[in-house]
Amino acid sequence: MSVKKAFITGITGQDGSYLAELLLDKGYDVHGLVRRSSSFNTWRIDHVRDRMHLHYGDLVDQNSLMRTLEAVGPDEVYNLAAQSHVKVSFEMPEYTGSVTALGVLRLLDAVRELGLPARFYQAGSSEMFGLVAETPQTEKTPFHPRSPYGAAKVFGHWISVNYREGYGMHVSNGILFNHESPRRGENFVTRKITMGIAAIKQGRAQELRLGNLDAKRDWGFAGDYVEAMWRMLQQEKPDDYVVATGRTHSVREFCEEAFGYVGLDWQKYVVVDPKYFRPSEVDLLLGDPRKAKSTLGWEPRVDFKGLVRLMVDADLKGQGR
């Protein structure tokens, strides 16, 4: 039996690192695309780096994608790379569109041009729903993005559907709701909270400045969500799936849970700073994961309280970055 090859863009990110671990444990030959930059940031995968193959390339460089895919010849392609920060997308809308939207097109077209039979996973986002038309959000809920990032992800979703329908490619979209971990980027609100708590407990800070505390999100554990990605590509027919917990909590609730876990009153430390507000806010995201559960047999294992404590513990021990 031949060993399956997987190609992951965004392998050095939160999701990419958890997916790489999962696939390595399943016996895959794992290849990842990394950008060449002045700071080679691989801390999330350093513990498994000697078990995988890394290739230089970029979603804005079609030639690098063609060259790498031809050399690897993957059975499965997971496109997790993106400019993924919502607030940054307002400040860098053109770059966000080039990577997060057109990058999907470049990668899909490279697979098509090379005639690879690879199955393709496209990482969608609950931010595509934006100003939600219904609650909870399902695979049929209309998109109404409220940021350049959300709009770019909508393009990525629909171009994936187009390549699936137009060229018969095995392309699946995962519409993932917020998923966090100790490997979450430091500029995302959940990680800002848990790192802020560690700094306060260790006497390095006296306050934590945040934006909209009323925003509600469906938060899950990234390690659980990458299994759903893999399960999508094991299906005979490609399709689109919402991946979520089906429960929502506000940023305020996250603060209450996280600070309370270490015996602190969050109201004594959290300061609302208008500079962290978005130009247009997404107030409520709540996913309906019934299709993923019934078709893929997927279930989230880590609940909200468990996720918060996992992240707080890691930052208190200095295990995150």
Side-chain angles (χ1 to χ4, degrees):
M1 183 177 173
S2 60
V3 175
K4 276 189 176 181
K5 286 185 182 180
F7 180 70
I8 305 171
T9 72
I11 196 168
T12 60
Q14 171 188 253
D15 293 8
S17 65
Y18 281 112
L19 179 62
E21 286 177 348
L22 177 75
L23 296 178
L24 286 169
D25 288 345
K26 292 182 179 298
Y28 278 67
D29 181 14
V30 176
H31 295 253
L33 190 74
V34 293
R35 287 178 298 156
R36 185 69 187 101
S37 63
S38 56
S39 57
F40 196 50
N41 191 13
T42 61
W43 67 269
R44 294 180 181 89
I45 58 170
D46 281 343
H47 62 296
V48 291
R49 191 171 166 186
D50 61 346
R51 298 171 57 197
M52 63 176 70
H53 311 275
L54 299 182
H55 306 266
Y56 289 120
D58 200 308
L59 286 185
V60 302
D61 180 0
Q62 180 82 3
N63 286 335
S64 70
L65 300 178
M66 293 281 289
R67 184 172 60 250
T68 306
L69 285 168
E70 187 172 28
V72 174
D75 300 290
E76 297 173 4
V77 174
Y78 296 86
N79 184 38
L80 311 185
Q83 189 303 98
S84 59
H85 196 274
V86 173
K87 191 167 191 306
V88 171
S89 78
F90 284 101
E91 298 164 10
M92 303 177 69
E94 184 179 347
Y95 176 74
T96 299
S98 184
V99 176
T100 308
L102 292 178
V104 185
L105 173 60
R106 294 185 189 105
L107 190 59
L108 281 166
D109 214 50
V111 172
R112 184 189 67 84
E113 284 280 346
L114 291 168
L116 298 176
R119 297 183 172 190
F120 192 105
Y121 170 81
Q122 166 57 18
S125 168
S126 57
E127 289 288 336
M128 299 189 297
F129 294 120
L131 188 63
V132 297
E134 61 183 4
T135 298
Q137 293 87 56
T138 74
E139 293 80 6
K140 302 297 184 184
T141 301
F143 297 136
H144 188 149
R146 299 267 283 171
S147 66
Y149 169 73
K153 280 293 186 183
V154 170
F155 177 90
H157 175 94
W158 283 117
I159 201 66
S160 297
V161 172
N162 271 255
Y163 271 63
R164 179 170 72 208
E165 295 176 351
Y167 299 113
M169 294 171 63
H170 195 295
V171 182
S172 291
N173 284 296
I175 307 173
L176 271 61
F177 280 65
N178 291 63
H179 46 290
E180 320 296 316
S181 76
R183 301 178 192 174
R184 189 58 145 152
E186 297 177 8
N187 54 354
F188 288 85
V189 66
T190 53
R191 192 73 199 293
K192 280 183 67 176
I193 294 169
T194 59
M195 288 182 65
I197 288 170
I200 290 167
K201 288 290 286 184
Q202 294 161 8
R204 294 182 284 110
Q206 286 76 48
E207 66 178 24
L208 173 62
R209 305 185 80 83
L210 298 174
N212 182 10
L213 301 183
D214 296 318
K216 293 183 177 181
R217 295 293 184 267
D218 185 329
W219 275 305
F221 173 52
D224 290 341
Y225 284 36
V226 297
E227 185 183 339
M229 301 176 188
W230 174 77
R231 286 176 179 254
M232 288 178 211
L233 297 199
Q234 311 317 304
Q235 303 303 305
E236 183 179 345
K237 293 182 179 179
D239 206 346
D240 307 326
Y241 298 89
V242 163
V243 180
T245 69
R247 294 181 174 86
T248 190
H249 299 272
S250 67
V251 175
R252 180 178 281 101
E253 287 177 85
F254 197 104
C255 287
E256 290 173 352
E257 185 63 42
F259 277 87
Y261 177 51
V262 296
L264 297 177
D265 179 356
W266 71 275
Q267 296 180 82
K268 294 180 179 179
Y269 300 96
V270 173
V271 177
V272 175
D273 189 335
K275 80 175 184 180
Y276 294 116
F277 281 70
R278 301 178 184 178
S280 50
E281 185 58 75
V282 174
D283 297 317
L284 169 65
L285 293 172
L286 174 62
D288 182 346
R290 283 181 294 179
K291 181 178 176 182
K293 289 182 176 183
S294 62
T295 304
L296 304 178
W298 175 82
E299 287 282 347
R301 299 185 185 92
V302 180
D303 64 10
F304 177 71
K305 182 177 288 189
L307 172 66
V308 173
R309 295 184 174 192
L310 179 71
M311 294 179 67
V312 171
D313 284 340
D315 277 323
L316 286 173
K317 295 173 184 174
Q319 293 175 345
R321 288 283 183 99

